[in-house]
Amino acid sequence: MEYMDMAPTPSPAGEPRWLDGDEQRVWRAYLQATTLLDDYLDRQLQRDAGMPHMYYGLLVQLSDAPRRRLRMTELAKNMKITRSRLSHAVARLEKSGWVRREDCPSDKRGQLAILTDEGYEVLRGTAPGHVSAVRQALFDRLTPEQQKSLGEIMTIVAEGLQPEEAGADLPWLR
């Protein structure tokens, strides 16, 4: 019902604030673009490296971390995914030999995800094609001003969806 073509009017308490025509067009364009972009990048990575986009993101996170290792909870937070989904993904990456897990020396309950040398080499080999796909699909289509605006807009949206208060329902806390 969020797409009902209703004029935006002040709504009585409890009634939805329906999207107006312009808002609907923006929302639908956003959904279509993000769905197509995710699919495009996922297909590129499956074709070139035999991994989904999320696994590539995990490898990137680990490659950027000191000593190529992160606590699993921090990795889940960085990736914006549940700990259960992360555990499953890391198990698949372990089977490929690209990641390994170790117990956290400072916390008996914690685990570290560590990018292996083999995983690092896979990432190095995959990165040029992935960057090319990102450029082709997104950045080459936008002016520098549009790129700046998109970055500012996405930062505002992301910040608004990551509340800092205790008890917030965020994926990495589940």
Side-chain angles (χ1 to χ4, degrees), residues 31-107:
L31 287 176
Q32 184 176 25
T34 57
T35 299
L36 290 169
L37 181 61
D38 285 343
D39 178 67
Y40 176 78
L41 296 175
D42 201 56
R43 283 184 290 115
Q44 177 267 319
L45 287 164
Q46 288 285 2
R47 181 187 64 242
D48 294 354
M51 75 174 92
H53 193 209
M54 186 183 81
Y55 290 15
Y56 180 84
L58 290 168
L59 298 181
V60 168
Q61 286 289 319
L62 292 171
S63 75
D64 289 343
R67 298 177 48 216
R68 300 193 313 215
R69 61 185 62 216
L70 278 173
R71 286 182 60 107
M72 292 283 284
T73 53
E74 188 68 21
L75 189 52
K77 182 179 179 180
N78 292 352
M79 292 296 295
K80 313 298 185 230
I81 60 175
T82 64
R83 290 176 288 193
S84 173
R85 186 170 182 204
L86 175 65
S87 184
H88 176 74
V90 169
R92 298 281 305 266
L93 291 168
E94 281 181 301
K95 286 181 183 175
S96 298
W98 300 345
V99 171
R100 75 175 189 277
R101 283 187 248 205
E102 288 181 4
D103 290 332
C104 182
S106 62
D107 178 2

Side-chain angles (χ1 to χ4, degrees), residues 2-170:
E2 67 192 81
Y3 303 120
M4 285 189 65
D5 194 11
M6 300 177 72
T9 56
S11 58
E15 285 292 315
R17 240 179 85 218
W18 299 109
L19 301 179
D20 67 26
D22 288 338
E23 290 168 330
Q24 284 183 41
R25 279 186 286 286
V26 169
W27 176 241
R28 290 176 183 180
Y30 167 81
L31 287 176
Q32 184 176 25
T34 57
T35 299
L36 290 169
L37 181 61
D38 285 343
D39 178 67
Y40 176 78
L41 296 175
D42 201 56
R43 283 184 290 115
Q44 177 267 319
L45 287 164
Q46 288 285 2
R47 181 187 64 242
D48 294 354
M51 75 174 92
H53 193 209
M54 186 183 81
Y55 290 15
Y56 180 84
L58 290 168
L59 298 181
V60 168
Q61 286 289 319
L62 292 171
S63 75
D64 289 343
R67 298 177 48 216
R68 300 193 313 215
R69 61 185 62 216
L70 278 173
R71 286 182 60 107
M72 292 283 284
T73 53
E74 188 68 21
L75 189 52
K77 182 179 179 180
N78 292 352
M79 292 296 295
K80 313 298 185 230
I81 60 175
T82 64
R83 290 176 288 193
S84 173
R85 186 170 182 204
L86 175 65
S87 184
H88 176 74
V90 169
R92 298 281 305 266
L93 291 168
E94 281 181 301
K95 286 181 183 175
S96 298
W98 300 345
V99 171
R100 75 175 189 277
R101 283 187 248 205
E102 288 181 4
D103 290 332
C104 182
S106 62
D107 178 2
K108 299 281 187 216
R109 296 177 301 158
Q111 280 196 316
L112 298 170
I114 302 164
L115 181 64
T116 65
D117 290 341
E118 183 180 349
Y120 184 75
E121 289 307 314
V122 166
L123 183 60
R124 280 177 34 111
T126 304
H130 184 64
V131 169
S132 178
V134 169
R135 279 201 175 284
Q136 179 184 2
L138 184 64
F139 291 100
D140 290 350
R141 298 173 188 277
L142 303 175
T143 66
E145 294 80 21
Q146 290 170 323
Q147 291 174 25
K148 182 179 180 203
S149 293
L150 180 62
E152 291 168 352
I153 291 165
M154 292 293 100
T155 298
I156 291 167
V157 171
E159 287 173 354
L161 293 171
Q162 296 184 89
E164 296 294 326
E165 69 268 5
D169 184 24
L170 298 168

